[in-house]
Amino acid sequence: GAARIARTLDANQALDAFESDLRLHVAEAARGRVFVHAGVVGWRGRAIVLPGRSFSGKSRLVAALLRAGASYYSDEYAVLDGHGRVHPFPAPLSIRGAATGERPLKCPLEALPGPVGTKPLPLGLVVVSEYRAGARWRPRPLSLGQGLLALLAHTVPARSRPAEVLEALRRAVDGAPVLRGKRGEAEEVAPALLACVSAGSRRE
């Protein structure tokens, strides 16, 4: 953290590093909450969670979902409580360029194309995907166990609080479809994801 900040001479990069380290500390230390590296939007009373690290394309997919009508919850962490509900973590939306070292553009909350979520939501869909140019969205469903492991791979306090983490993830994933697949442009995938949640809501 501090060493990484000290190595840079760019003030903006130093502030970004400090902010990132501070959020990671909160994610690791927060009791009663489980933080998963993920983008999150709300749609028709359900949360869509997009687990993934930086440069996996999740922020662009979050932005496309917002333009399609979803509400913004986060592009950094899905915050789960002990009941498996997803809480808002509405930091400014960061859109990265193609270059690895390029500083992301931050979109303030008031400039987002959709509303910002304010209340916890049950999980409606987990999408495990990475961008691949020209890829067609042909996802395959994962089992409950596979979905739990997919979220666990991106969970911050997994080693320090394993029992609490596993229970929160199990409650979250129980009953929610989990899809895995390569995807192309975010604008093409977003409507299909919203339709999947809408179809699940109609069956209830």
Side-chain angles (χ1 to χ4, degrees):
R4 180 159 63 101
I5 294 171
R7 283 197 299 269
T8 181
L9 299 178
D10 185 277
N12 287 325
Q13 289 181 353
L15 288 173
D16 286 346
F18 175 76
E19 182 180 34
S20 177
D21 289 345
L22 181 61
R23 289 178 181 169
L24 182 60
H25 175 73
V26 170
E28 291 173 340
R31 296 294 168 180
R33 296 287 186 270
V34 172
F35 283 63
V36 180
H37 284 286
V40 186
V41 300
W43 177 252
R44 298 192 174 178
R46 295 286 189 273
I48 300 174
V49 172
L50 315 165
R53 303 291 182 181
S54 297
F55 297 101
S56 64
K58 68 179 187 300
S59 294
R60 290 185 182 276
L61 185 50
V62 165
L65 287 163
L66 296 183
R67 287 190 289 271
S71 57
Y72 180 63
Y73 271 65
S74 181
D75 80 329
E76 187 168 4
Y77 290 115
V79 182
L80 307 178
D81 62 23
H83 300 287
R85 297 174 303 179
V86 186
H87 290 251
F89 191 85
L93 180 65
S94 297
I95 302 295
R96 296 179 182 273
T100 302
E102 189 175 341
R103 190 165 181 259
L105 297 174
K106 293 191 175 183
C107 180
L109 299 182
E110 59 270 18
L112 294 175
V116 176
T118 59
K119 63 180 182 179
L121 298 176
L123 188 56
L125 178 66
V126 178
V127 181
V128 183
S129 72
E130 288 190 9
Y131 172 76
R132 178 180 290 174
R136 294 184 62 185
W137 178 237
R138 293 177 175 174
R140 62 182 181 88
L142 299 184
S143 67
L144 173 64
Q146 290 171 324
L148 193 152
L149 289 175
L151 288 176
L152 186 64
H154 297 284
T155 300
V156 176
R159 293 183 179 180
S160 60
R161 294 183 277 140
E164 178 185 346
V165 166
L166 287 173
E167 180 61 15
L169 294 180
R170 185 194 66 78
R171 287 176 178 266
V173 176
D174 189 21
V178 182
L179 303 178
R180 180 190 292 274
K182 298 293 183 182
R183 61 173 179 81
E185 297 305 319
E187 300 291 347
E188 299 173 2
V189 178
L193 301 185
L194 297 183
C196 182
V197 176
S198 297
S201 299
R202 286 195 296 270
R203 286 195 295 268
E204 293 181 357

